[in-house]
């Protein structure tokens, strides 16, 4: 009899996002757990997709992505960041950043290679490293401002370390790495001859005028950094699953070598629509930030009213709340009670840690929701103190 997934995958169980969304649905809780908007991207983008479905292309896209989309990505990278990439050899389209991460890690790693993950990390990274036959080593962001201790990072590197995964703006903690922080990181990366995958899917959701700095733009980084982004968050179309990578031809070719045997290519007509969207991003992005800033404020105010410990995130669309001021110290038990008794679903942050004790007092709330949804969640959260008994 077959008894469940392979040893490689068994430790990862079910994704926390599926688990918490299921709990939200079962208990009719307001879902601030899984990071998807409860609104759609713009109507003009839908119209462009409908037009592309009507008139084609509706057959397989090129394995590397629709040329129109790769060209739009190249133009945007140059306009926004001064990064110049050849759309034929240095840019490739994937079925979401999720597949880009999987294919990049699997294309780049040799079995036994070590990969450094910065805790808190996105949940798919360790699973992808395991599937590629690699080993993870961990370094945690510390303190209330989630600082990276470079000495700790250096101590984590061994002769077998091949790759570092960086996520800025960070899911779940909202940290946006500053230029000086990235410069310091770049020096370590160069000194130890590491490759880097930077996950920048929230590149356009950064607050308070702080710039998003792609690591690849720093001196010496272009030849060793693969930048991953996604249209899901920027255009509020998470279900379209269109992500992409930019990097030196050799690293992009490695990611393509896996991609051709995973999905081979990404959905054709939606790529054509996204090409138009990326060309409109200069006008679109400032409004996106303004809207998310308002939502951030609504959620922050609601969480502050509950007595949970919160800091405003610099980027992405999540707030990490400290549950200890209310007498709780187990994020999983807290989230379970929150969904079933208060009617709001959130994500236990320990899911983003290998050393789960570091994240056990933190819970992630998503604000990629209409202000009405966030306000309704805020009202329910006010009942937190009366309804819930500390689960310690
Ligand atoms: N990386 C991070 C940090 C994410 O939060 C997500 C979820 N959107 C992804 C990658 C996956 O992106 P996509 O939906 O494009 O697969
Ligand atoms: N990126 C989304 C989040 O962080 C989840 C995407 C997924 O469910 N895989 O919530």
């Amino acid at each position: 009899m077959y008894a469940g997934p392979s040893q490689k995958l068994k430790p990862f169980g079910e994704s926390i996002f599926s688990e918490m969304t299921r709990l939200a649905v079962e208990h009719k809780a307001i879902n601030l757990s899984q990071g998807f908007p409860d609104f759609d991207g713009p109507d003009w983008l839908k119209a462009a997709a409908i037009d592309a479905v009507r008139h084609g292309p509706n057959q397989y896209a090129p394995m590397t992505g629709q040329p129109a989309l790769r060209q739009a990505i190249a133009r945007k990278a140059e306009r926004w960041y001064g990064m110049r990439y050849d759309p034929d050899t240095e840019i490739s389209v994937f079925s979401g950043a999720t597949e880009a991460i999987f294919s990049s890690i699997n294309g780049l790693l040799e079995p036994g290679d070590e990969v450094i993950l910065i805790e808190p990390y996105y949940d798919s990274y360790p699973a992808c490293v395991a599937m590629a036959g690699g080993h993870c080593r961990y370094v945690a962001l510390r303190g209330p401002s989630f600082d990276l201790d470079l000495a700790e990072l250096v101590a984590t590197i061994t002769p077998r370390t091949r790759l570092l995964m960086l996520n800025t703006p960070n899911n779940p903690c909202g940290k946006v790495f500053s230029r000086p922080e990235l410069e310091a990181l770049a020096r370590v990366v160069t000194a130890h001859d590491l490759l880097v995958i930077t996950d920048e899917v929230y590149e356009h959701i950064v607050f308070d005028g702080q710039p998003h700095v792609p690591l690849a733009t720093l001196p010496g980084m272009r030849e060793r950094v693969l930048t991953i982004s996604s249209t899901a968050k920027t255009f509020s179309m998470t279900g379209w699953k269109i992500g992409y990578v930019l990097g030196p031809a050799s690293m992009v070719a490695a990611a393509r070598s896996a991609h051709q045997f995973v999905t081979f290519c990404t959905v054709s007509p939606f790529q054509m629509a996204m090409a138009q969207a990326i060309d409109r991003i200069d006008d679109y992005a400032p409004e996106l930030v303004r809207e998310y800033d308002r939502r951030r404020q609504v959620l922050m105010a609601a969480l502050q009213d509950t007595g949970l410990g919160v800091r405003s995130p610099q980027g992405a669309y999540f707030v990490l709340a400290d549950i200890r001021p209310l007498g709780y110290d187990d994020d999983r038990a807290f989230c379970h009670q929150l969904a079933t008794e208060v009617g709001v679903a959130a994500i236990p942050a320990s899911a983003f840690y290998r050393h789960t004790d570091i994240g056990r007092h933190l819970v992630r709330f998503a604000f990629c929701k209409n202000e009405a949804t966030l306000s309704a969640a805020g009202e329910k959260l006010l009942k937190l103190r009366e309804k819930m008994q500390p689960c310690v």
Side-chain angles (χ1 to χ4, degrees):
M1 275 296 276
Y2 179 66
S6 68
Q7 292 305 320
K8 260 190 315 220
L9 285 168
K10 206 175 252 166
F12 299 102
E14 184 189 22
S15 145
I16 192 68
F17 306 119
S18 309
E19 185 185 332
M20 294 313 299
T21 284
R22 194 182 52 248
L23 200 64
V25 172
E26 267 170 32
H27 294 273
K28 299 190 172 52
I30 297 178
N31 192 358
L32 305 189
S33 66
Q34 195 176 18
F36 62 89
D38 67 347
F39 48 86
D40 283 347
D43 284 345
W44 52 259
L45 182 49
K46 288 185 180 175
I50 291 165
D51 194 53
V53 169
R54 279 217 178 89
H55 302 106
N58 287 300
Q59 306 310 325
Y60 294 133
M63 185 276 281
T64 58
Q66 293 290 4
L69 177 55
R70 283 186 277 114
Q71 286 154 14
I73 293 165
R75 283 192 291 273
K76 189 214 103 173
E78 182 158 11
R79 277 199 319 279
W80 278 65
Y81 308 120
M83 300 158 85
R84 298 185 74 170
Y85 287 101
D86 178 343
D88 290 330
T89 58
E90 297 185 313
I91 296 176
S92 228
V93 178
F94 293 79
S95 298
T98 307
E99 197 242 327
I101 292 163
F102 176 86
S103 293
S104 303
I105 290 177
N106 277 269
L108 292 171
L109 279 199
E110 298 295 346
D113 280 352
E114 288 176 359
V115 181
I116 295 187
L117 301 190
I118 299 173
E119 299 173 284
Y121 50 74
Y122 187 56
D123 75 330
S124 80
Y125 304 165
C128 291
V129 173
M131 285 188 272
H135 301 292
C136 294
R137 295 179 66 83
Y138 301 89
V139 54
L141 298 176
R142 302 278 180 191
S145 53
F146 291 94
D147 293 322
L148 179 62
D149 180 335
L150 286 183
E152 208 180 321
L153 170 64
V154 169
T156 311
I157 298 170
T158 78
R160 305 200 68 174
T161 309
R162 179 92 182 112
L163 181 67
L164 170 82
M165 300 291 300
L166 176 72
N167 174 212
T168 181
N170 182 275
N171 173 10
C173 75
K175 179 186 176 75
V176 174
F177 281 77
S178 68
R179 184 177 291 278
E181 284 177 308
L182 292 171
E183 283 167 351
L185 189 64
R187 283 193 287 276
V188 174
V189 162
T190 309
H192 295 272
D193 195 21
L194 304 182
L195 301 175
V196 186
I197 294 178
T198 60
D199 176 344
E200 303 183 4
V201 302
Y202 300 101
E203 64 180 305
H204 293 295
I205 306 177
V206 180
F207 305 109
D208 308 324
Q210 195 179 332
H212 166 71
V213 180
L215 180 69
T217 58
L218 299 189
M221 288 297 101
R222 191 191 190 285
E223 69 256 30
R224 56 175 78 243
V225 174
L226 203 53
T227 305
I228 294 182
S229 194
S230 172
T231 59
K233 314 291 166 177
T234 303
F235 295 104
S236 307
M237 294 296 199
T238 58
W240 288 19
K241 295 300 294 184
I242 299 176
Y244 54 90
V245 312
L246 308 97
S250 57
M251 290 179 77
V252 171
R256 285 176 175 174
S257 66
H259 169 71
Q260 65 183 337
F261 298 125
V262 180
T263 56
F264 181 74
C265 64
T266 294
V267 58
S268 286
F270 291 96
Q271 289 191 55
M272 302 309 282
M274 275 304 178
Q276 294 182 37
I278 288 176
D279 276 336
R280 290 176 68 158
I281 202 164
D282 301 15
D283 295 330
Y284 170 90
E287 184 54 26
L288 179 80
V289 175
R290 275 194 291 277
E291 283 173 2
Y292 271 121
D293 200 6
R294 281 198 295 273
R295 295 181 189 119
R296 175 177 69 145
Q297 282 165 30
V298 174
L299 180 61
M300 281 294 295
L303 292 173
Q304 269 154 357
D305 286 347
T306 64
L308 290 164
V310 283
R311 280 171 69 96
S312 208
Q314 298 170 298
Y317 49 45
F318 308 103
V319 174
L320 265 192
D322 188 336
I323 56 178
R324 288 173 301 189
L326 292 190
Y328 300 88
D329 76 348
D330 180 336
D331 61 336
R332 281 192 167 263
F334 177 89
C335 285
H336 194 269
Q337 265 189 286
L338 193 69
T340 56
E341 294 176 25
V342 176
V344 176
I347 298 280
S350 57
F352 302 95
Y353 286 87
R354 167 77 171 83
H355 303 98
T356 48
D357 51 314
I358 313 177
R360 251 172 75 99
H361 62 282
L362 296 170
V363 165
R364 190 194 83 174
F365 294 86
F367 56 90
C368 45
K369 308 291 168 184
N370 281 303
E371 285 180 41
T373 311
L374 296 170
S375 301
E379 275 174 32
K380 284 183 183 274
L381 285 168
L382 280 180
K383 297 187 202 127
L384 224 168
R385 288 179 206 242
E386 319 146 25
K387 271 210 158 193
M388 286 177 74
Q389 292 304 314
C391 40
V392 289

PDB file of all heavy atoms in Angstrom, residues 12-25:
ATOM      1  N   PHE A  12       7.253  18.641   4.999  1.00  0.00           N
ATOM      2  CA  PHE A  12       6.641  19.952   4.746  1.00  0.00           C
ATOM      3  C   PHE A  12       5.121  19.933   4.896  1.00  0.00           C
ATOM      4  O   PHE A  12       4.506  20.988   5.016  1.00  0.00           O
ATOM      5  CB  PHE A  12       7.051  20.459   3.356  1.00  0.00           C
ATOM      6  CG  PHE A  12       8.547  20.621   3.253  1.00  0.00           C
ATOM      7  CD1 PHE A  12       9.325  19.683   2.604  1.00  0.00           C
ATOM      8  CD2 PHE A  12       9.161  21.691   3.873  1.00  0.00           C
ATOM      9  CE1 PHE A  12      10.706  19.810   2.548  1.00  0.00           C
ATOM     10  CE2 PHE A  12      10.536  21.841   3.827  1.00  0.00           C
ATOM     11  CZ  PHE A  12      11.315  20.891   3.162  1.00  0.00           C
ATOM     12  N   GLY A  13       4.529  18.738   4.912  1.00  0.00           N
ATOM     13  CA  GLY A  13       3.088  18.639   5.128  1.00  0.00           C
ATOM     14  C   GLY A  13       2.286  19.505   4.175  1.00  0.00           C
ATOM     15  O   GLY A  13       2.666  19.716   3.030  1.00  0.00           O
ATOM     16  N   GLU A  14       1.187  20.039   4.696  1.00  0.00           N
ATOM     17  CA  GLU A  14       0.322  20.913   3.880  1.00  0.00           C
ATOM     18  C   GLU A  14       0.763  22.357   4.080  1.00  0.00           C
ATOM     19  O   GLU A  14       1.143  22.752   5.188  1.00  0.00           O
ATOM     20  CB  GLU A  14      -1.128  20.760   4.350  1.00  0.00           C
ATOM     21  CG  GLU A  14      -2.114  21.550   3.514  1.00  0.00           C
ATOM     22  CD  GLU A  14      -3.524  21.578   4.106  1.00  0.00           C
ATOM     23  OE1 GLU A  14      -3.669  21.352   5.324  1.00  0.00           O
ATOM     24  OE2 GLU A  14      -4.475  21.829   3.346  1.00  0.00           O
ATOM     25  N   SER A  15       0.714  23.154   2.995  1.00  0.00           N
ATOM     26  CA  SER A  15       1.086  24.574   3.114  1.00  0.00           C
ATOM     27  C   SER A  15       0.167  25.268   4.123  1.00  0.00           C
ATOM     28  O   SER A  15      -1.040  25.040   4.152  1.00  0.00           O
ATOM     29  CB  SER A  15       0.980  25.237   1.740  1.00  0.00           C
ATOM     30  OG  SER A  15       0.541  26.567   1.879  1.00  0.00           O
ATOM     31  N   ILE A  16       0.787  26.123   4.926  1.00  0.00           N
ATOM     32  CA  ILE A  16       0.030  26.855   5.950  1.00  0.00           C
ATOM     33  C   ILE A  16      -1.075  27.708   5.324  1.00  0.00           C
ATOM     34  O   ILE A  16      -2.113  27.947   5.921  1.00  0.00           O
ATOM     35  CB  ILE A  16       0.988  27.734   6.806  1.00  0.00           C
ATOM     36  CG1 ILE A  16       0.302  28.272   8.051  1.00  0.00           C
ATOM     37  CG2 ILE A  16       1.591  28.875   5.986  1.00  0.00           C
ATOM     38  CD1 ILE A  16      -0.054  27.262   9.069  1.00  0.00           C
ATOM     39  N   PHE A  17      -0.852  28.135   4.051  1.00  0.00           N
ATOM     40  CA  PHE A  17      -1.839  29.007   3.397  1.00  0.00           C
ATOM     41  C   PHE A  17      -3.117  28.229   3.081  1.00  0.00           C
ATOM     42  O   PHE A  17      -4.226  28.729   3.275  1.00  0.00           O
ATOM     43  CB  PHE A  17      -1.250  29.642   2.130  1.00  0.00           C
ATOM     44  CG  PHE A  17       0.054  30.354   2.406  1.00  0.00           C
ATOM     45  CD1 PHE A  17       1.232  29.954   1.779  1.00  0.00           C
ATOM     46  CD2 PHE A  17       0.107  31.391   3.311  1.00  0.00           C
ATOM     47  CE1 PHE A  17       2.427  30.591   2.049  1.00  0.00           C
ATOM     48  CE2 PHE A  17       1.301  32.041   3.597  1.00  0.00           C
ATOM     49  CZ  PHE A  17       2.471  31.640   2.961  1.00  0.00           C
ATOM     50  N   SER A  18      -2.954  26.987   2.594  1.00  0.00           N
ATOM     51  CA  SER A  18      -4.140  26.159   2.334  1.00  0.00           C
ATOM     52  C   SER A  18      -4.844  25.849   3.648  1.00  0.00           C
ATOM     53  O   SER A  18      -6.079  25.906   3.740  1.00  0.00           O
ATOM     54  CB  SER A  18      -3.747  24.831   1.679  1.00  0.00           C
ATOM     55  OG  SER A  18      -2.927  25.052   0.576  1.00  0.00           O
ATOM     56  N   GLU A  19      -4.049  25.523   4.668  1.00  0.00           N
ATOM     57  CA  GLU A  19      -4.622  25.117   5.957  1.00  0.00           C
ATOM     58  C   GLU A  19      -5.467  26.255   6.547  1.00  0.00           C
ATOM     59  O   GLU A  19      -6.607  26.055   6.962  1.00  0.00           O
ATOM     60  CB  GLU A  19      -3.464  24.757   6.901  1.00  0.00           C
ATOM     61  CG  GLU A  19      -3.893  24.200   8.228  1.00  0.00           C
ATOM     62  CD  GLU A  19      -2.698  23.980   9.163  1.00  0.00           C
ATOM     63  OE1 GLU A  19      -1.555  23.752   8.680  1.00  0.00           O
ATOM     64  OE2 GLU A  19      -2.907  24.055  10.385  1.00  0.00           O
ATOM     65  N   MET A  20      -4.913  27.466   6.549  1.00  0.00           N
ATOM     66  CA  MET A  20      -5.617  28.560   7.209  1.00  0.00           C
ATOM     67  C   MET A  20      -6.811  29.055   6.375  1.00  0.00           C
ATOM     68  O   MET A  20      -7.822  29.462   6.936  1.00  0.00           O
ATOM     69  CB  MET A  20      -4.661  29.712   7.530  1.00  0.00           C
ATOM     70  CG  MET A  20      -3.603  29.361   8.564  1.00  0.00           C
ATOM     71  SD  MET A  20      -4.173  28.497  10.071  1.00  0.00           S
ATOM     72  CE  MET A  20      -5.304  29.674  10.768  1.00  0.00           C
ATOM     73  N   THR A  21      -6.677  29.019   5.044  1.00  0.00           N
ATOM     74  CA  THR A  21      -7.831  29.426   4.230  1.00  0.00           C
ATOM     75  C   THR A  21      -8.969  28.423   4.402  1.00  0.00           C
ATOM     76  O   THR A  21     -10.142  28.795   4.483  1.00  0.00           O
ATOM     77  CB  THR A  21      -7.418  29.589   2.750  1.00  0.00           C
ATOM     78  OG1 THR A  21      -6.694  30.814   2.631  1.00  0.00           O
ATOM     79  CG2 THR A  21      -8.618  29.674   1.819  1.00  0.00           C
ATOM     80  N   ARG A  22      -8.610  27.134   4.517  1.00  0.00           N
ATOM     81  CA  ARG A  22      -9.663  26.124   4.738  1.00  0.00           C
ATOM     82  C   ARG A  22     -10.377  26.386   6.067  1.00  0.00           C
ATOM     83  O   ARG A  22     -11.601  26.357   6.149  1.00  0.00           O
ATOM     84  CB  ARG A  22      -9.058  24.723   4.705  1.00  0.00           C
ATOM     85  CG  ARG A  22     -10.132  23.645   4.589  1.00  0.00           C
ATOM     86  CD  ARG A  22      -9.600  22.235   4.594  1.00  0.00           C
ATOM     87  NE  ARG A  22      -8.728  21.983   5.713  1.00  0.00           N
ATOM     88  CZ  ARG A  22      -7.422  21.770   5.618  1.00  0.00           C
ATOM     89  NH1 ARG A  22      -6.843  21.752   4.441  1.00  0.00           N
ATOM     90  NH2 ARG A  22      -6.708  21.550   6.692  1.00  0.00           N
ATOM     91  N   LEU A  23      -9.595  26.689   7.073  1.00  0.00           N
ATOM     92  CA  LEU A  23     -10.175  26.983   8.400  1.00  0.00           C
ATOM     93  C   LEU A  23     -11.093  28.209   8.318  1.00  0.00           C
ATOM     94  O   LEU A  23     -12.177  28.227   8.905  1.00  0.00           O
ATOM     95  CB  LEU A  23      -9.026  27.242   9.395  1.00  0.00           C
ATOM     96  CG  LEU A  23      -9.336  27.110  10.870  1.00  0.00           C
ATOM     97  CD1 LEU A  23      -9.711  25.679  11.225  1.00  0.00           C
ATOM     98  CD2 LEU A  23      -8.114  27.536  11.708  1.00  0.00           C
ATOM     99  N   ALA A  24     -10.634  29.216   7.545  1.00  0.00           N
ATOM    100  CA  ALA A  24     -11.450  30.439   7.391  1.00  0.00           C
ATOM    101  C   ALA A  24     -12.783  30.099   6.731  1.00  0.00           C
ATOM    102  O   ALA A  24     -13.843  30.571   7.175  1.00  0.00           O
ATOM    103  CB  ALA A  24     -10.687  31.472   6.560  1.00  0.00           C
ATOM    104  N   VAL A  25     -12.726  29.269   5.682  1.00  0.00           N
ATOM    105  CA  VAL A  25     -13.964  28.920   4.964  1.00  0.00           C
ATOM    106  C   VAL A  25     -14.891  28.117   5.878  1.00  0.00           C
ATOM    107  O   VAL A  25     -16.080  28.413   6.014  1.00  0.00           O
ATOM    108  CB  VAL A  25     -13.632  28.154   3.655  1.00  0.00           C
ATOM    109  CG1 VAL A  25     -14.890  27.603   3.002  1.00  0.00           C
ATOM    110  CG2 VAL A  25     -12.860  29.059   2.687  1.00  0.00           C
TER     111      VAL A  25
END
